[in-house]
Amino acid sequence: MIAADNLQAAYWAVWRNGGAPGVDGQTVMQFDAHEQAELAKLREELRSKRYRRQPARRVWIPKPGSTEKRPLGIPAVRDRTVEAALKQVLEPIFERDFAEHSYGFRPGRGCREAAKRVEELLNEGRHWCVDLDFKSYFDGTLPKVQLWSW
């Protein structure tokens, strides 16, 4: 995970994505100005087990089609780099074991692929859909469940 080439590739992924600064206020461009020194420092902190993730910066973003807002945590650039480095190592290991028809937060899969699968199932004669809303799941609230039939 802490190999120099893995951290470099992880940082490039963060750089391509851009994004806002975390709690430390450091932008991707500021990190980029001292990229090699920043990555060397990060690698040494990881190697010596002195790395500590900073708290995420909390912002509230509007929910589409609603007056509600949802919380979003923005990690610091260095923390996003570590997360990307971990993802590059762990994703190939676990991806092969995930359910074939699982679409959330998977490489090459998303809403379009999920909708295509639903269409295939409908064409096969399946007529039931379960819709779960996990909005407050981690607060201990039971999910809202709806059954749909065609």
Side-chain angles (χ1 to χ4, degrees), residues 80-98:
R80 294 197 304 256
T81 301
V82 171
E83 291 167 6
L86 279 168
K87 178 180 183 266
Q88 290 172 168
V89 170
L90 295 175
E91 190 172 70
I93 295 167
F94 290 101
E95 181 62 29
R96 64 179 176 214
D97 293 329
F98 291 149

Side-chain angles (χ1 to χ4, degrees), residues 41-87:
K41 179 181 174 188
L42 195 53
R43 185 169 187 240
E44 178 53 29
E45 287 177 15
L46 289 162
R47 189 196 61 72
S48 64
K49 300 181 179 163
R50 290 183 293 114
Y51 169 78
R52 298 291 176 265
R53 188 184 193 283
Q54 299 176 62
R57 183 169 64 92
R58 174 71 71 192
V59 295
W60 293 87
I61 60 171
K63 284 179 115 177
S66 169
T67 58
E68 289 183 65
K69 292 187 176 193
R70 70 176 180 93
L72 181 66
I74 302 175
V77 174
R78 64 191 327 265
D79 297 330
R80 294 197 304 256
T81 301
V82 171
E83 291 167 6
L86 279 168
K87 178 180 183 266

Side-chain angles (χ1 to χ4, degrees), residues 100-114:
E100 180 184 350
H101 296 297
S102 173
Y103 297 93
F105 306 99
R106 304 266 311 273
R109 296 173 185 234
C111 293
R112 286 190 180 113
E113 291 77 18

